[in-house]
Amino acid sequence: MPFADVRRNVPLWLGTAALAAGLVACDSAPSSSSPPRHPNIVWVLTDDLSSDLVNYMPHVKEMRKDGLSFTDYTVTDSLCCPSRSSLFTGKFPHNTGVFTNTPPDGGFQTFHEKGNESKTFATALQKQGYRTAMMGKYLNGYEPDMTVDGEKNYVPPGWNEWDVAGNGYKEYDYTLNQNGRTVGYQHDPEDYLTDVVSGKGQEFIEKSVQDKKPFVLDISTFAPHGPATPAPEDEDRFTDLKLPRPPAFDRTPTDAPQWLKDKKSFTPRQIKKITKTYRKRVRAVQAVDRMIGDLQEKLKKEGVYDDTVFAFASDNGFHMGQYRLMPGKQTAFDTDVNVPLIVTGPGVARGATTDAVASNIDICPTFTELGGGEPDPRADGRSLVPLFEGETPEDWPKTALVEHHGPDNSPKDPDKPRKGSGNPPSYEALRTDRYTYVAYRNGAHEYYDRAKDPDMLHNVYARLSSETKARLTSTLEKMRDCAGSKECGAAAG
């Protein structure tokens, strides 16, 4: 059944005031006619989750059976704030102005000063009559008690419900901004942050159904970001779990760039440390997986599960010993930029996969269209809704762009790379369903033909023809300068 037909069957009503107001950016462009009824949206975004952790998340694995998995979903940067900025706005870092986690070219402050908060999927859906909720982690640099533009305990526009922490990485001893009121949480078992937002998410669903309002719930966990603190019931689990050693483990690519080459093989002590970190990460995602199951059960209990698009992803990936790097991110390798995206719900193909190139700039336009709006053409991404039936439009973009500013040496950044984890200099990268091309600002290049070399162990840039190099350079220049879905789509074609 076509997606539009399914949406007409969703028993949720948009308020007349919202319909009269129209839409603004991803916001969105004005609707030409009254939209049909539309699905609820639950968006679970994890922090630093690598694809291998899904093996230990049974509810997420069930989502794969019940929905659509994207095998070529790429983030615009393997770093929290730039990636999340792209998610909210549908724009590349060169258009959000957010390239890092800290000012002057990143962090919450830059996101706010550039006017991005008025052009998110939250503002678009709220104007469509949706109840909107943001819970957990927002953007690096945001603090629950901060004053912004004269507003104490600042809450960004577009959100009806706001339950957001600043430093919630430890899962305990944090403060939440709860709708403009700061509330402190301690170190008792009931204060475990992932469980707290899970409970608040379920309450939000119940209240929204009672009010007969369509809703979008964004729950962004801090897990499994370090220190990867597990829930109390998971502290003693997976103590003997073996560390995966994929082909790229403890190996560097041939003709590696300067920042990566000449790394020595791991010592037994280093492998022991990586193994310990891996086990902690597996323990940490157990609470996230239970939260997903609990949210799904709540949707079923309230009678709206079949009327809800449920999506799961991560803001970036994480390497664990690949390329002789200690645990970390920020590289252009698939370990760091290719993350899970799984979607279930009305109109979404069941048990299907798509290799269509997708990116986090596509999330905002997707949610906007699901809510009945036309995605703002000023957003760089495009809606994934046409892919939900498992088919790829002929004009679908074939290239994703990654933009990274480095090295990251800010002492204020919780993502500052630790010794040996990899801290690449600035680069831009192109990623298609076949290859990855990386151009460093210092003049170095990488090219991995992933069809032949899926583990990205052979940099063959030097073997490319001059014509191929020129084409890659041209595509990269067009994409890193593009603005808007039409121009960026043409550049990525």
Side-chain angles (χ1 to χ4, degrees):
M1 180 181 295
F3 186 82
D5 292 342
V6 175
R7 289 190 292 178
R8 278 195 287 270
N9 293 328
V10 176
L12 292 169
W13 187 254
L14 295 174
T16 55
L19 298 180
L23 297 175
V24 294
C26 302
D27 227 4
S28 58
S31 296
S32 58
S33 60
S34 296
R37 299 172 184 181
H38 302 290
N40 309 303
I41 303 168
V42 175
W43 170 237
V44 175
L45 181 70
T46 53
D47 193 349
D48 287 7
L49 182 137
S50 49
S51 297
D52 55 358
L53 294 183
V54 172
N55 295 328
Y56 301 95
M57 303 180 74
H59 289 105
V60 176
K61 291 170 71 174
E62 283 300 312
M63 287 182 66
R64 282 180 169 170
K65 296 178 182 179
D66 293 338
L68 177 65
S69 299
F70 289 75
T71 60
D72 280 301
Y73 177 67
T74 305
V75 297
T76 52
D77 189 14
S78 180
L79 191 60
C80 295
C81 203
S83 176
R84 291 166 186 266
S85 298
S86 292
L87 285 166
F88 282 124
T89 64
K91 296 183 178 182
F92 287 119
H94 68 258
N95 287 325
T96 64
V98 179
F99 289 94
T100 65
N101 288 341
T102 56
D105 66 344
F108 162 74
Q109 179 180 329
T110 300
F111 186 81
H112 175 77
E113 290 176 350
K114 297 288 186 180
N116 291 299
E117 286 182 302
S118 64
K119 303 172 183 178
T120 68
F121 64 76
T123 58
L125 291 173
Q126 189 182 66
K127 292 187 178 184
Q128 276 292 89
Y130 274 66
R131 294 189 74 229
T132 61
M134 174 73 213
M135 301 180 180
K137 179 177 179 177
Y138 183 44
L139 297 173
N140 297 76
Y142 175 85
E143 295 294 337
D145 60 351
M146 70 192 315
T147 298
V148 178
D149 296 338
E151 179 183 336
K152 288 187 63 178
N153 300 339
Y154 176 73
V155 176
W159 301 102
N160 298 102
E161 177 78 18
W162 183 260
D163 301 292
V164 173
N167 184 356
Y169 295 102
K170 295 185 294 183
E171 300 282 348
Y172 295 104
D173 302 313
Y174 57 90
T175 300
L176 283 184
N177 180 328
Q178 297 181 182
N179 300 316
R181 181 173 63 94
T182 55
V183 179
Y185 289 77
Q186 305 304 316
H187 207 94
D188 295 320
E190 60 267 25
D191 294 321
Y192 186 76
L193 180 54
T194 300
D195 292 345
V196 168
V197 294
S198 176
K200 289 185 178 296
Q202 294 170 60
E203 292 173 3
F204 174 78
I205 291 171
E206 182 175 342
K207 183 65 166 58
S208 298
V209 174
Q210 289 175 352
D211 291 346
K212 298 181 180 179
K213 287 281 191 177
F215 59 85
V216 56
L217 170 60
D218 181 332
I219 291 192
S220 296
T221 68
F222 284 81
H225 191 291
T229 304
E233 58 263 51
D234 301 314
E235 290 176 352
D236 298 323
R237 300 181 65 189
F238 304 105
T239 55
D240 297 322
L241 190 65
K242 291 185 178 181
L243 174 68
R245 300 194 183 193
F249 185 84
D250 201 19
R251 294 177 62 186
T252 54
T254 58
D255 199 18
Q258 188 62 45
W259 70 269
L260 182 60
K261 67 189 311 182
D262 300 327
K263 287 191 173 294
K264 296 181 180 179
S265 185
F266 290 135
T267 65
R269 182 177 180 181
Q270 287 176 310
I271 292 179
K272 183 177 180 179
K273 185 175 182 179
I274 298 171
T275 302
K276 181 179 179 180
T277 300
Y278 183 73
R279 291 170 179 169
K280 289 175 64 177
R281 285 167 55 79
V282 172
R283 287 193 284 267
V285 297
Q286 299 310 301
V288 178
D289 191 67
R290 283 194 298 272
M291 178 184 75
I292 289 172
D294 290 342
L295 291 171
Q296 292 170 332
E297 286 303 310
K298 185 63 174 178
L299 292 167
K300 293 175 183 177
K301 182 179 179 180
E302 297 297 329
V304 295
Y305 179 79
D306 291 335
D307 309 324
T308 301
V309 171
F310 199 118
F312 169 84
S314 180
D315 60 356
N316 51 256
F318 206 74
H319 52 256
M320 294 288 300
Q322 294 94 330
Y323 313 108
R324 289 187 178 164
L325 295 173
M326 295 296 286
K329 51 190 178 183
Q330 304 195 31
T331 80
F333 290 113
D334 271 7
T335 52
D336 297 7
V337 300
N338 177 215
V339 299
L341 173 63
I342 307 170
V343 184
T344 66
V348 181
R350 298 194 61 180
T353 60
T354 176
D355 60 0
V357 172
S359 177
N360 50 357
I361 59 170
D362 301 324
I363 298 301
C364 179
T366 301
F367 289 173
T368 300
E369 180 173 348
L370 288 173
E374 297 179 8
D376 185 357
R378 292 169 293 182
D380 304 327
R382 58 189 291 180
S383 172
L384 301 173
V385 168
L387 303 177
F388 284 177
E389 290 184 329
E391 298 180 1
T392 305
E394 291 184 3
D395 64 342
W396 194 258
K398 297 179 174 59
T399 310
L401 173 69
V402 181
E403 299 179 293
H404 179 75
H405 282 190
D408 182 357
N409 296 314
S410 173
K412 298 180 180 180
D413 189 353
D415 288 327
K416 178 184 176 181
R418 297 188 176 185
K419 183 178 180 181
S421 66
N423 197 358
S426 294
Y427 66 81
E428 285 92 24
L430 302 177
R431 186 180 183 280
T432 71
D433 62 353
R434 179 184 177 96
Y435 69 80
T436 296
Y437 165 65
V438 189
Y440 293 90
R441 293 294 178 93
N442 63 11
H445 296 85
E446 293 175 277
Y447 183 94
Y448 299 97
D449 184 346
R450 300 193 326 277
K452 299 177 180 178
D453 176 28
D455 297 295
M456 303 175 71
L457 286 168
H458 304 285
N459 175 18
V460 296
Y461 178 79
R463 305 179 198 171
L464 300 179
S465 67
S466 57
E467 292 80 5
T468 298
K469 291 178 180 179
R471 177 178 54 80
L472 292 169
T473 299
S474 176
T475 300
L476 184 59
E477 289 176 349
K478 291 176 181 177
M479 290 200 70
R480 73 183 182 194
D481 294 332
C482 74
S485 57
K486 183 177 181 179
E487 184 177 327
C488 291

